Amino acid sequence: MRTSDLRLAAPAAGCWAAAATALAAPVAVSVSISAGFGAAGIATAVWSRRNAGLRRAIGVSAAAACGLIAASALAVVLRVIAVDSAPIRTAEGKPTVEVETTGDPVFLTGGRMRVPVTVRALSGLRQRPVAAQLTAPVDGPDVLPGERYRVRVRVRPPRDRAADRLQAAQLTATGPMTGLRGPPWWQRAAGTVRERLRDVSLRALPERSAGLLPGLVLGDVSGLDERTAADFRAAGLAHLIAVSGLIVR
C-alpha cells in the first residue's frame, strides 16, 4: 500500500506562511518573526545535542525547519527594505534610469509593451537593484531578458498594493530606450527560436492562427490579435498563452 511522505509539508507551509506574513506585516513585525524562529532553531539544535536516538532526530529536523522559516521571512524583509529605501521610489520629474530586463515583454494595445525590469541606476548614480515595471513603445527588435537600457521615464507607484511591497515603481518611458548591453547568449538563442517559430507560423497558417501558435507553444503573444486574446480571457484560458504570468491587456 502506497503512503504519502509528508515530512516536508510542515516546513514548506511554514516558509510560505512566513513569507506571506512578511509581505503583509510591518517590517518590525517581520524581523521579530524571523528572529524568533532563528532563536527557536538555535535552542532546538542545542537541545538535540543533549539527546540521542529519536529525540535527537526530531530535534535536528525541527531546528532545520525553524532555520528555513527564519530565512524565508528574512529574505522577504530584506527585499521589502530595499524597495522602501530605493531612490527611484521618491524620484520627481522625469529622471533617467538604467534598467535591466528580467522577463519577456507583454504587448499592449497601441504599439506599447510592458516589461519587468531591475532599476540599477538613477540619474547616473548607482543604487541597490530593485524591481519595477517599464511601459514603453514597441520599437525595433524584440526585447530579451538580460538586456540593459538607459531611458528617461515618468515614475508612478506600483499598480496594486500587493506589488507595492516588492516593486519600487511603475515606469513609463518618455524617450527612446538606449541599449547599453545585449542579452546573454542563452537568451539570444531563445529569442532566435521564438523568431523562427513566428516566421514558420506566418508562412504556414492564417493570420489569427499564426499569432496564436507561438503563444501556446512558447508564451510569445507578440503576434496575438486582441480579439483572440479577449476570447481566451472570457473562456478562462488566458494562462495557456501567458508570458511571465501575464496576458495581453
Side-chain angles (χ1 to χ4, degrees):
M1 181 178 179
R2 179 175 296 180
T3 58
S4 299
D5 189 345
L6 301 177
R7 287 176 293 181
L8 295 179
C15 289
W16 280 105
T21 302
L23 282 175
V27 171
V29 174
S30 303
V31 171
S32 299
I33 292 173
S34 179
F37 275 102
I42 294 173
T44 305
V46 172
W47 174 84
S48 65
R49 292 188 61 182
R50 299 175 181 175
N51 294 274
L54 181 59
R55 286 189 177 184
R56 183 168 187 172
I58 293 175
V60 170
S61 298
C66 289
L68 289 173
I69 294 172
S72 178
L74 181 61
V76 176
V77 168
L78 292 177
R79 184 169 176 182
V80 168
I81 292 174
V83 169
D84 289 344
S85 61
I88 187 65
R89 200 172 180 87
T90 56
E92 298 179 352
K94 297 179 180 179
T96 299
V97 296
E98 291 184 17
V99 298
E100 179 176 331
T101 55
T102 58
D104 293 315
V106 176
F107 294 90
L108 312 172
T109 57
R112 298 175 302 134
M113 65 177 177
R114 184 165 60 246
V115 59
V117 298
T118 296
V119 181
R120 295 189 170 273
L122 174 64
S123 298
L125 300 176
R126 294 290 174 182
Q127 66 166 47
R128 182 182 301 177
V130 290
Q133 290 279 340
L134 173 65
T135 301
V138 178
D139 185 18
D142 288 350
V143 172
L144 299 175
E147 292 182 323
R148 287 195 183 184
Y149 293 93
R150 181 183 293 114
V151 58
R152 193 175 185 187
V153 297
R154 183 171 62 250
V155 182
R156 293 179 296 171
R159 293 176 178 272
D160 55 75
R161 291 182 62 86
D164 187 61
R165 301 302 300 275
L166 297 179
Q167 290 184 4
Q170 177 72 29
L171 310 177
T172 302
T174 61
M177 296 173 60
T178 303
L180 300 177
R181 190 191 72 181
W185 67 267
W186 58 88
Q187 293 292 355
R188 289 198 300 270
T192 300
V193 172
R194 287 196 292 266
E195 184 177 356
R196 289 180 177 176
L197 180 59
R198 285 199 299 267
D199 292 341
V200 171
S201 299
L202 286 172
R203 291 197 301 266
L205 298 171
E207 183 177 357
R208 291 188 66 189
S209 300
L212 176 60
L213 180 61
L216 293 173
V217 176
L218 297 176
D220 179 1
V221 295
S222 58
L224 191 66
D225 65 283
E226 181 58 31
R227 178 184 170 187
T228 302
D231 290 343
F232 270 78
R233 289 195 296 269
L237 300 175
H239 61 282
L240 298 179
I241 48 175
V243 178
S244 300
L246 300 175
I247 184 61
V248 175
R249 286 174 167 79

